[in-house]
Amino acid sequence: MSRELPLGVFDSGLGGLTVVRAIRATCPNESILYLGDTARVPYGTRSAETVIKYAIGCARLLVSRGVKAIVVACNTVSAVALDALRVELDIPVLGVIQPGARAAVAAAKGGTVGVLATAGTVASGAYPRAVAALSTRAEVIGQAAPLLVPLVEEGWLEGEVPRLAVRRYVEPVLARGAKAIVLGCTHYPLLYDVIASEAAAIAGAPVPVVDSAHATAEDVRAFLRDRDFAATRSGTGSLELLVTDLPASFATVASRFLGHEVEDVALVDL
Ligand code: DGL
């Protein structure tokens, strides 16, 4: 298999673009084929069985287009479907929870880690398991924040509505002693500023807010280097975007988020 093939990256919708942005900053010469399953977002409120089925569909589509590895840019899928994907696919599969847990433990300095995530990720216990593998001391408080995904998909990223929703979710986490908050859903970094400012206002001091995208991108770079599988092209890699519904509105929010014009978002059927 060629090392010049793109990395396949997928999420239920827009959230995985936070990981795409970090990979492009960390490994600029890698090409990326991204799939947002916008027809079936949100994943976070669905059963593990359904998420596994959807995830296998997304991954197979990417594999059929020719990718050298899959980066699961979705915590919900990483929490419940990583093993199934690794069994199903003949190429490497990387997730976001291990790197997120590592960054969170470091940010909390051994103190309690607060996890804002989808209901599915919280129910899976994936973050407590990942944190326990890294630190026997650090406790984990999980808080489902289901309203944040539709706010992000709507592009409703500032103002009173997201502020109040964020406050409602962050308050109990801080009240239970969290020393850092990990954004355990790849949609949430789009609300990073609101989450960080509400957390600071509630705590009366800045609270570290961890976005797992950067830690994931570092893992991707290390993985490609260790396997001797990094692209060798000297220029910037390409970015191709696929969605399962509403390509035009995806292109608008994606352009805003990636900081450059995104024109071609292709519609695909799984
Ligand atoms: N962005 C995804 C995650 O990281 C899923 C959000 C959703 O579809 O509910 O969990």
Side-chain angles (χ1 to χ4, degrees), residues 174-200:
L174 294 177
R176 290 174 62 196
K179 296 292 177 250
I181 295 175
V182 58
L183 304 182
C185 169
T186 53
H187 279 68
Y188 301 171
L190 283 104
L191 290 164
Y192 188 95
D193 292 346
V194 183
I195 294 169
S197 76
E198 282 307 299

Side-chain angles (χ1 to χ4, degrees), residues 31-58:
S31 290
I32 295 177
L33 176 62
Y34 181 83
L35 171 63
D37 190 7
T38 45
R40 301 188 290 195
V41 66
Y43 281 10
T45 51
R46 302 188 195 281
S47 67
E49 292 70 28
T50 299
V51 172
I52 291 171
K53 199 167 66 191
Y54 288 178
I56 289 175
C58 290

Side-chain angles (χ1 to χ4, degrees), residues 96-111:
V96 284
I97 289 189
Q98 266 188 4
R102 208 175 54 233
V105 168
K109 300 192 168 76

Side-chain angles (χ1 to χ4, degrees), residues 11-12 15 41-45 73-76 118 121 149 184-187:
D11 177 47
S12 59
V41 66
Y43 281 10
T45 51
C74 172
N75 286 262
T76 310
T118 65
T121 299
V149 170
C185 169
T186 53
H187 279 68

